[in-house]
Amino acid sequence: MNLFDVYTLWDIEPVKASGTKVWDSNGIEYLDLYGGHAVISIGHCHPTYTSMLHAQLDKLGFYSNAVQNSLQRELAEELGNICGYPQYSLFLCNSGAEANENAMKAASFQTGRKRILAIGKAFHGRTSGAVEATDNPKIQAPFNRNSNITFIPINDIDALESNLKSRQYAAFIFEGIQGVAGIYEPSVEYLRRAEKLCKETGTILIADEVQSGCGRTGDFFAHQKSGVKPQIITMAKGTGNGFPIGAVLLSGDIKAEKGMLGTTFGGNHLACTAAIAVMKVLRKENLLENARKMGDYLLNALRGNKAIKELRGRGLMIGIELQPEYEDLRNRLLFEEHIFTGGAGKRVIRLLPPLCISKEDCDRFIEAFNKLTK
């Protein structure tokens, strides 16, 4: 049997990792400033993380949601305390796409409405509803095109207002910072207006924090800078530091009914253990503060480089838009300097490193970046 050939792969196979470093099958060391799509939050193979998972695996790896699982309640308490939403309820699933799918489903249940308002260039996942709310026709099958989504430009308050005042939308969904689009952030004014309009029109406000959450921006959630409180918040990626987990945080306005949402693997014992370990390490090692400091350090060091057209982002979610003649820089960083970075289109490098990144790591990247663009 062959693999279904849908990925464009670099000819590199990581086989070992620690902190911000990975080593390939040839023994070459790389600096990881991408974390596998912002997944590695507390660092590769953190000892707290690995020891907790080992201990849980020795006891029980899985049982279904037909029985009590105290680890789910422990995670809800840990997450509620660190994220600033202790009064919300928690639904656990397996990925960001599932989290967004269930968030939109819950909003539709709550409002009785069918349509969703989303922002242009959005990426919300690849499951049926989430991919329809993703502004990329290339990854939508005909099956997914059900005319349930309206896209509006980011930060266009007039478009936001005219659509929401139609009262036809179950929810307005936005990313705390748009990642795949190239690191674009909704303004404080825009989000505050969205919150007010959603309340006035009976629309659920959903914050997709799958990539921008879990401390990546220096706030636990990127939207918290604006002071708005979405009724639903979604998480995944960094929540499990590599173990698949998704989460939906729902305010008391959203009423639960038996059977309205469900999953076989969501909130399993290993996934909960992984996420609990992440929350403990984030708090104990002050990684949100480190994300703020190291993000500022990187942004300040990069400013003024002739290769950069625009710098965007906050904390450790940084977009470097390059001048056209530097389109090959990402590959050069990888193959010449052994530094993993992310991309968005041909000319945006995304930095999404583990939140434990050090000044020494940042300096290694800055030196390499300057060397290749001098």
Side-chain angles (χ1 to χ4, degrees):
M1 182 182 293
N2 294 319
L3 296 175
F4 197 53
D5 190 14
V6 294
Y7 297 115
T8 300
L9 302 177
W10 284 310
D11 190 18
I12 297 170
E13 183 182 8
V15 296
K16 187 177 74 169
S18 177
T20 58
K21 309 296 194 303
V22 297
W23 290 264
D24 71 10
S25 54
N26 295 314
I28 299 172
E29 178 190 289
Y30 296 80
L31 175 62
D32 184 9
L33 300 189
Y34 194 44
H37 303 304
V39 166
I40 302 301
S41 51
I42 61 172
H44 293 280
C45 300
H46 191 288
T48 297
Y49 178 84
T50 57
S51 64
M52 287 179 63
L53 278 170
H54 285 154
Q56 182 58 46
L57 189 58
D58 285 339
K59 292 187 288 188
L60 177 66
F62 173 80
Y63 209 81
S64 76
N65 284 306
V67 296
Q68 297 289 325
N69 181 352
S70 61
L71 289 169
Q72 293 182 356
R73 292 191 294 275
E74 183 180 351
L75 174 56
E77 183 174 357
E78 287 275 358
L79 178 57
N81 288 336
I82 194 172
C83 80
Y85 288 93
Q87 73 278 25
Y88 279 42
S89 297
L90 178 65
F91 175 78
L92 294 166
C93 51
N94 306 287
S95 68
E98 286 180 66
N100 287 327
E101 193 88 19
N102 281 291
M104 292 186 285
K105 188 176 178 182
S108 185
F109 271 126
Q110 178 72 17
T111 63
R113 300 173 185 172
K114 183 177 181 180
R115 295 181 57 75
I116 302 291
L117 186 64
I119 293 176
K121 299 184 180 180
F123 188 97
H124 294 295
R126 292 176 180 267
T127 55
S128 187
V131 82
E132 190 180 357
T134 292
D135 191 12
N136 182 356
K138 291 182 179 179
I139 64 172
Q140 296 169 343
F143 170 74
N144 304 123
R145 298 176 193 142
N146 299 307
S147 302
N148 290 326
I149 309 295
T150 298
F151 292 105
I152 58 174
I154 191 170
N155 293 326
D156 186 331
I157 291 178
D158 290 339
L160 179 74
E161 185 166 349
S162 62
N163 276 279
L164 287 179
K165 283 189 172 180
S166 71
R167 297 177 183 265
Q168 64 178 307
Y169 296 102
F172 170 54
I173 186 169
F174 69 93
E175 293 165 88
I177 294 178
Q178 290 189 309
V180 173
I183 313 297
Y184 292 96
E185 186 168 9
S187 71
V188 169
E189 179 188 9
Y190 184 73
L191 291 184
R192 288 178 178 171
R193 185 63 178 150
E195 181 181 44
K196 184 174 186 293
L197 286 165
C198 282
K199 288 179 179 176
E200 290 174 355
T201 60
T203 310
I204 303 297
L205 184 62
I206 301 174
D208 174 349
E209 295 279 4
V210 167
Q211 187 174 127
S212 56
C214 215
R216 178 145 299 279
T217 64
D219 296 310
F220 193 87
F221 293 124
H223 72 264
Q224 289 172 314
K225 173 185 175 182
S226 69
V228 305
K229 288 194 171 182
Q231 289 159 287
I232 302 178
I233 304 162
T234 58
M235 299 175 61
K237 294 197 184 295
T239 311
N241 201 53
F243 201 101
I245 186 170
V248 186
L249 284 62
L250 303 103
S251 75
D253 297 339
I254 314 297
K255 303 304 179 186
E257 295 183 12
K258 300 296 184 185
M260 67 182 280
L261 305 178
T263 167
T264 297
F265 296 106
N268 68 73
H269 296 73
L270 291 176
C272 285
T273 299
I276 291 167
V278 168
M279 301 309 142
K280 289 181 181 294
V281 173
L282 287 174
R283 185 178 63 251
K284 184 177 180 181
E285 299 186 6
N286 298 314
L287 293 187
L288 274 67
E289 181 181 358
N290 192 63
R292 286 191 292 272
K293 287 182 177 179
M294 293 300 99
D296 287 345
Y297 183 75
L298 283 165
L299 287 167
N300 288 331
L302 289 166
R303 286 193 179 97
N305 186 293
K306 66 178 182 179
I308 299 175
K309 180 179 180 181
E310 186 178 9
L311 277 173
R312 298 186 289 269
R314 183 156 48 97
L316 292 175
M317 189 169 183
I318 295 172
I320 307 169
E321 185 172 349
L322 300 168
Q323 299 290 358
E325 60 267 34
Y326 292 95
E327 280 185 9
D328 65 343
L329 186 57
R330 185 182 174 211
N331 280 333
R332 293 190 67 195
L333 283 165
L334 179 58
F335 292 108
E336 295 179 31
E337 301 297 326
H338 301 142
I339 299 174
F340 276 104
T341 61
K346 292 182 178 179
R347 295 208 301 268
V348 177
I349 288 176
R350 281 192 288 163
L351 302 183
L352 300 160
L355 306 187
C356 61
I357 189 173
S358 67
K359 183 176 178 294
E360 181 182 21
D361 294 329
C362 294
D363 286 339
R364 177 177 165 185
F365 169 74
I366 293 161
E367 181 180 351
F369 191 95
N370 289 336
K371 172 185 171 183
L372 296 176
T373 57
K374 66 182 179 181

